[in-house]
């Protein structure tokens, strides 16, 4: 694993060992080790200590000051700052197959392909309130105050609700939402597209030379994409300055503010 950006969040513990997945929040980073354990840093953040008794973790996602894990059995566990209920999944949630986290809310894609969301009780609840006519979903993404579903029917379409709402026909392979009301979609050929306004007069179009891409990730104003052919990661920041960096990866990247991490071919600790 390699991280860069803010000092504490990007300092990978030297004893981390091989990692198979990662998640970056706004001021913390978590990794899923090859042994199935979850490790988060820096230690002085709300989301640094995973709950005890959590085993067989299959996936990790991170919000601003919290993290959620999906176990192999489909259970969802969240920890960190819970002032808006983001760490309190519904007791009747049921088995999940996917997760997404926004700034103050979290959502689960259930085994039934329904979507359930929770949190965001103080700020805008629109991202939490799943449309009653949503239909089956294939994947989820969440921004600060919006949630998006990659639909199973019609296949490849994207529907978002919350502060950014609408339907994009696609077909798309993935969607990612930023923290500033913008979306990035990845089509089935690896092409990236940007949807949303310019921020503070700075155009936020896709930088040249990125496609075809293998994956896209957004946290707050940081956007990262990994390339299919080169296996490199390119990141850009929706502001007056750029946090671009290139390095070889295994098509996995995640970003927080103001740092980003990539899962490298030799994903041990120490960076």
């Amino acid at each position: 694993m390699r991280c860069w950006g803010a000092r504490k969040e990007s300092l990978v513990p030297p004893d981390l060992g091989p990692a198979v997945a990662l998640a970056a929040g706004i001021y913390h980073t978590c990794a899923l080790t090859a042994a199935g354990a979850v490790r988060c840093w820096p230690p002085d953040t709300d989301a640094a200590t995973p709950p005890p008794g959590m085993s067989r973790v299959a996936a990790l996602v991170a919000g601003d000051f919290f993290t959620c894990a999906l176990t192999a059995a489909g259970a969802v566990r969240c920890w960190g700052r819970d002032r808006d209920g983001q760490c309190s999944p519904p007791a009747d949630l049921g088995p999940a197959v996917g997760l997404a986290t926004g700034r103050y809310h979290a959502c689960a894609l259930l085994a039934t392909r329904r979507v359930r969301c929770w949190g965001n009780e103080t700020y805008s609840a629109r991202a939490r309130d799943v449309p009653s006519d949503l239909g089956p979903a294939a994947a989820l993404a969440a921004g600060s105050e919006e949630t998006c579903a990659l639909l199973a029917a019609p296949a490849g379409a994207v529907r978002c609700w919350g502060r950014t709402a609408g339907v994009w026909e696609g077909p798309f392979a993935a969607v990612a939402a930023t923290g500033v009301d913008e979306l990035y979609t990845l089509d089935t050929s690896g092409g990236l597209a940007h949807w949303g306004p310019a921020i503070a007069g700075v155009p936020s179009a896709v930088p040249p030379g990125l496609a075809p891409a293998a994956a896209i990730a957004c946290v707050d104003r940081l956007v990262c994409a990994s390339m299919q052919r080169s296996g490199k990661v390119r990141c850009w920041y929706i502001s007056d300055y750029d946090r671009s960096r290139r390095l070889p990866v295994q098509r996995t990247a995640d970003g927080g503010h103001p740092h980003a991490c990539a899962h490298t071919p030799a994903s041990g600790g120490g960076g």
Side-chain angles (χ1 to χ4, degrees), residues 101-174:
T101 47
R103 179 165 290 175
Y104 301 112
H105 75 287
C107 297
L109 175 61
L110 304 181
T112 59
R113 296 300 168 182
R114 292 178 57 238
V115 177
R116 297 267 318 260
C117 299
W118 60 94
N120 217 0
E121 296 168 355
T122 301
Y123 300 89
S124 171
R126 292 176 294 175
R128 181 194 61 191
D129 297 335
V130 182
S132 58
D133 61 344
L134 179 63
L140 297 177
S144 291
E145 295 184 16
E146 55 275 323
T147 305
C148 297
L150 181 67
L151 301 180
V158 168
R159 181 171 179 181
C160 301
W161 60 96
R163 190 168 180 177
T164 300
V167 177
W168 292 263
E169 295 297 335
F172 300 115

Side-chain angles (χ1 to χ4, degrees), residues 1-2 18-22 233 248-254 261-267:
M1 179 185 292
R2 298 281 298 278
V20 297
L22 57 93
V233 166
V249 297
Q250 289 182 326
R251 299 184 179 180
T252 304
D254 204 2
C261 295
H263 181 199
T264 63
S267 287

